[in-house]
Amino acid sequence: LARFRYEQFRREREAFEQRHKLKSDDFLRRFNAGELGDAEDYFDWFAAVRGRDIWRQKAQVLAEVIA
């Protein structure tokens, strides 16, 4: 489940990057600085980036427990 959710958020993140022609690291920097405004799409992108990071951490922890 953790790997599935990670991949789902990864795909969402990549779709935002392609749509906005901006890498997620640059997006986060600009979003956190308040440069992009508060469009709903930006909050969805932020959630996809954070969700991917969280599920990646969960997958790593679970992989260590199983190993």
Side-chain angles (χ1 to χ4, degrees):
L1 176 62
R3 285 186 186 131
F4 172 79
R5 293 294 291 157
Y6 166 80
E7 286 298 322
Q8 187 177 25
F9 282 116
R10 184 189 60 76
R11 285 190 301 273
E12 286 182 30
R13 188 184 88 151
E14 288 176 359
F16 282 113
E17 289 178 344
Q18 290 176 0
R19 182 171 40 235
H20 294 280
K21 297 179 180 24
L22 183 66
K23 290 291 185 184
S24 288
D25 291 339
D26 295 328
F27 159 75
L28 283 177
R29 182 183 48 75
R30 294 181 64 193
F31 182 78
N32 289 330
E35 297 175 10
L36 297 176
D38 56 356
E40 183 178 341
D41 201 40
Y42 293 139
F43 286 96
D44 290 342
W45 191 354
F46 179 81
V49 171
R50 291 292 298 138
R52 179 190 147 289
D53 292 344
I54 290 168
W55 283 101
R56 181 186 64 217
Q57 291 171 350
K58 287 183 180 191
Q60 288 173 342
V61 168
L62 291 171
E64 290 173 12
V65 170
I66 294 171

